[in-house]
Amino acid sequence: MTLRKSLLGAAVAVAVSIIAAPAFSQSASLANPAALTEKAPAAYKVKFDTSKGPFVIQVNRDWAPNGADRFYNLVKNGFYDNVRFFRVVTGFMVQFGISGDPKLSAPWREARIPDDPVRQSNKRGYITFATAGPNTRTTQVFINFGNNTFLDSQGFAPFGQVISGMNVVDALNAEYGEGAPRGRGPDQGRLQQEGNAYLAKDFARMDFVRKATIEN
């Protein structure tokens, strides 16, 4: 191989690396979940720019105050920027909210918020925090593809709904489906530990959030 070819190859490798791993835009405050407790407005909108296009969520604080406040602080400080839609189950829901940076996953893993009473139903387009049991909500959320009313009695409290771009949500790549070990999708434990490097290597076609912003 000539030196010129070698340099060209190195340049291509660097370019690919930059495309595959864009810089994070999170604030330094994200390292300390206890500091991010700002009360959310009574209603606010969040625009998600994704690899498939934009969609907008309206959050209503009176639906689920604890969830609405947590979501507001996460979005405002850039937590959802560059996160992947790691669990997309056709006809059921799409889940996201594990940071692509393992250094951020660690402090948020135990940053739990109290449950909210279920005041709305898990209907199509409604967004809800994922849980692993009572009072275990942290950063993971899901958007319902269908009318999953059976989740209501299990304590899943919607805090907002998609008001535009539901066609974008419907189009998110579902080829990986359910997560491991039940499905062929990513293992959440590895995602927490390895971040987006794990997903880029083994689930390269997974859709992702480019940036989430609170709209005025």
Side-chain angles (χ1 to χ4, degrees), residues 16-207:
V16 169
S17 175
I18 291 171
I19 292 170
F24 290 100
S25 58
Q26 289 93 346
S27 75
S29 303
L30 281 174
N32 182 17
L36 300 182
T37 58
E38 184 178 350
K39 181 180 176 180
Y44 62 94
K45 295 177 183 177
V46 177
K47 181 180 180 181
F48 282 86
D49 287 308
T50 80
S51 51
K52 276 292 196 305
F55 65 87
V56 177
I57 289 171
Q58 177 165 318
V59 177
N60 299 298
R61 191 174 185 274
D62 61 353
W63 287 10
N66 295 322
D69 290 349
R70 169 55 61 86
F71 193 66
Y72 181 79
N73 283 277
L74 290 170
V75 172
K76 185 175 180 179
N77 288 276
F79 182 88
Y80 293 109
D81 296 354
N82 205 29
V83 304
R84 268 49 174 174
F85 297 100
F86 67 86
R87 185 182 178 213
V88 186
V89 183
T90 302
F92 180 33
M93 56 93 227
V94 51
Q95 187 169 334
F96 61 103
I98 295 179
S99 175
D101 182 352
K103 292 179 181 178
L104 284 182
S105 291
W108 285 98
R109 200 154 43 237
E110 300 301 322
R112 302 173 177 178
I113 57 173
D115 289 338
D116 285 302
V118 179
R119 294 172 178 159
Q120 299 293 321
S121 184
N122 283 274
K123 296 182 289 188
R124 172 172 164 77
Y126 281 53
I127 185 169
T128 307
F129 271 92
T131 76
N135 302 306
T136 59
R137 297 181 299 172
T138 56
T139 61
Q140 295 188 49
V141 295
F142 63 89
I143 299 172
N144 292 283
F145 284 134
N147 293 321
N148 300 317
T149 56
F150 69 93
L151 295 175
D152 303 348
S153 62
Q154 297 179 35
F156 291 93
F159 59 89
Q161 67 182 119
V162 177
I163 58 171
S164 69
M166 191 62 195
N167 60 312
V168 173
V169 180
D170 288 334
L172 294 171
N173 187 8
E175 71 173 288
Y176 304 114
E178 184 59 86
R182 288 180 294 171
R184 59 188 295 263
D187 176 88
Q188 287 197 32
R190 285 194 63 184
L191 176 51
Q192 295 275 2
Q193 295 297 321
E194 301 173 44
N196 282 349
Y198 162 53
L199 299 182
K201 178 177 180 291
D202 295 343
F203 306 92
R205 293 180 297 279
M206 188 171 283
D207 282 313

